[in-house]
Amino acid sequence: MTKVQSEHFIFAATSEVEDLGGGLKRQILGYNHELMAVKVWFAEGAEGYTHKHRHSQVTYVEEGEFHFNIDGEIRVLRKGDSCLIPPHVEHGAISPTGGILIDTFSPVRSDFIEGS
């Protein structure tokens, strides 16, 4: 059964970091049925393969450099930059330097928390 929402306080030291393989790791920062925030680590050269989903997404670059492809348009984003990914739009990113993203989704990505 999927949880309806996260705890009110989430501590980095005790919150699970999931190894996604391919140099990617993910940590859920908080969520309810309307909104989710996720921290994603990219190793140097790691790729978030092109995909699409029904969720609106805003991504903030916390650290590193990312080459984002959103609907066929490629832009380089660095620390402090962000992007909006509308629902059902193909997107992906490669990080030549390694780095950290903060992804926010609406509604919640229930596929990230199923079984939790």
PDB file of all heavy atoms in Angstrom, residues 1 5 61 72 80 87 90 95 103-104 115:
ATOM      1  N   MET A   1       0.833  -1.192   0.000  1.00  0.00           N
ATOM      2  CA  MET A   1       0.000   0.000   0.000  1.00  0.00           C
ATOM      3  C   MET A   1       0.878   1.256   0.000  1.00  0.00           C
ATOM      4  O   MET A   1       1.848   1.337   0.731  1.00  0.00           O
ATOM      5  CB  MET A   1      -0.911  -0.020   1.231  1.00  0.00           C
ATOM      6  CG  MET A   1      -1.717   1.227   1.400  1.00  0.00           C
ATOM      7  SD  MET A   1      -2.693   1.171   2.905  1.00  0.00           S
ATOM      8  CE  MET A   1      -4.203   1.785   2.268  1.00  0.00           C
ATOM      9  N   GLN A   5       1.222  10.407   2.620  1.00  0.00           N
ATOM     10  CA  GLN A   5       2.168  11.512   2.699  1.00  0.00           C
ATOM     11  C   GLN A   5       3.363  11.120   3.549  1.00  0.00           C
ATOM     12  O   GLN A   5       3.300  10.175   4.324  1.00  0.00           O
ATOM     13  CB  GLN A   5       1.527  12.780   3.253  1.00  0.00           C
ATOM     14  CG  GLN A   5       1.217  12.747   4.741  1.00  0.00           C
ATOM     15  CD  GLN A   5       0.663  14.085   5.216  1.00  0.00           C
ATOM     16  OE1 GLN A   5      -0.066  14.746   4.495  1.00  0.00           O
ATOM     17  NE2 GLN A   5       1.014  14.470   6.418  1.00  0.00           N
ATOM     18  N   VAL A  61      18.987  22.894 -10.311  1.00  0.00           N
ATOM     19  CA  VAL A  61      20.352  22.381 -10.255  1.00  0.00           C
ATOM     20  C   VAL A  61      21.016  22.898  -8.983  1.00  0.00           C
ATOM     21  O   VAL A  61      21.298  24.087  -8.853  1.00  0.00           O
ATOM     22  CB  VAL A  61      21.171  22.792 -11.502  1.00  0.00           C
ATOM     23  CG1 VAL A  61      22.597  22.253 -11.398  1.00  0.00           C
ATOM     24  CG2 VAL A  61      20.490  22.318 -12.777  1.00  0.00           C
ATOM     25  N   GLY A  72      13.352  17.718 -27.355  1.00  0.00           N
ATOM     26  CA  GLY A  72      14.289  17.879 -28.454  1.00  0.00           C
ATOM     27  C   GLY A  72      15.175  19.105 -28.375  1.00  0.00           C
ATOM     28  O   GLY A  72      16.097  19.253 -29.173  1.00  0.00           O
ATOM     29  N   GLY A  80      22.096  26.693  -9.671  1.00  0.00           N
ATOM     30  CA  GLY A  80      21.172  27.816  -9.574  1.00  0.00           C
ATOM     31  C   GLY A  80      20.166  27.900 -10.706  1.00  0.00           C
ATOM     32  O   GLY A  80      19.177  28.621 -10.600  1.00  0.00           O
ATOM     33  N   PRO A  87       3.718  18.032 -18.454  1.00  0.00           N
ATOM     34  CA  PRO A  87       3.290  16.632 -18.538  1.00  0.00           C
ATOM     35  C   PRO A  87       3.428  16.082 -19.965  1.00  0.00           C
ATOM     36  O   PRO A  87       3.221  16.805 -20.935  1.00  0.00           O
ATOM     37  CB  PRO A  87       1.816  16.674 -18.128  1.00  0.00           C
ATOM     38  CG  PRO A  87       1.666  17.936 -17.354  1.00  0.00           C
ATOM     39  CD  PRO A  87       2.657  18.897 -17.928  1.00  0.00           C
ATOM     40  N   GLU A  90       8.814  14.528 -23.558  1.00  0.00           N
ATOM     41  CA  GLU A  90      10.037  13.746 -23.421  1.00  0.00           C
ATOM     42  C   GLU A  90      11.170  14.632 -22.913  1.00  0.00           C
ATOM     43  O   GLU A  90      11.334  15.767 -23.365  1.00  0.00           O
ATOM     44  CB  GLU A  90      10.412  13.108 -24.759  1.00  0.00           C
ATOM     45  CG  GLU A  90       9.478  11.984 -25.129  1.00  0.00           C
ATOM     46  CD  GLU A  90      10.070  11.035 -26.167  1.00  0.00           C
ATOM     47  OE1 GLU A  90      11.135  11.332 -26.742  1.00  0.00           O
ATOM     48  OE2 GLU A  90       9.444   9.987 -26.378  1.00  0.00           O
ATOM     49  N   SER A  95      25.006  14.485 -17.053  1.00  0.00           N
ATOM     50  CA  SER A  95      25.865  15.350 -16.251  1.00  0.00           C
ATOM     51  C   SER A  95      27.325  15.006 -16.505  1.00  0.00           C
ATOM     52  O   SER A  95      27.837  14.029 -15.960  1.00  0.00           O
ATOM     53  CB  SER A  95      25.551  15.216 -14.761  1.00  0.00           C
ATOM     54  OG  SER A  95      26.378  16.101 -14.028  1.00  0.00           O
ATOM     55  N   ASP A 103      14.299  17.666  -7.863  1.00  0.00           N
ATOM     56  CA  ASP A 103      13.127  17.525  -8.727  1.00  0.00           C
ATOM     57  C   ASP A 103      11.862  17.697  -7.901  1.00  0.00           C
ATOM     58  O   ASP A 103      11.750  17.119  -6.815  1.00  0.00           O
ATOM     59  CB  ASP A 103      13.079  16.129  -9.369  1.00  0.00           C
ATOM     60  CG  ASP A 103      14.120  15.911 -10.443  1.00  0.00           C
ATOM     61  OD1 ASP A 103      14.552  16.895 -11.068  1.00  0.00           O
ATOM     62  OD2 ASP A 103      14.484  14.744 -10.657  1.00  0.00           O
ATOM     63  N   THR A 104      10.919  18.463  -8.414  1.00  0.00           N
ATOM     64  CA  THR A 104       9.599  18.551  -7.804  1.00  0.00           C
ATOM     65  C   THR A 104       8.577  18.084  -8.828  1.00  0.00           C
ATOM     66  O   THR A 104       8.712  18.372 -10.025  1.00  0.00           O
ATOM     67  CB  THR A 104       9.266  19.984  -7.331  1.00  0.00           C
ATOM     68  OG1 THR A 104       9.418  20.885  -8.422  1.00  0.00           O
ATOM     69  CG2 THR A 104      10.170  20.407  -6.194  1.00  0.00           C
ATOM     70  N   GLY A 115       5.060   0.519  -2.173  1.00  0.00           N
ATOM     71  CA  GLY A 115       5.680  -0.455  -1.289  1.00  0.00           C
ATOM     72  C   GLY A 115       6.285   0.161  -0.054  1.00  0.00           C
ATOM     73  O   GLY A 115       6.744  -0.545   0.828  1.00  0.00           O
TER      74      GLY A 115
END
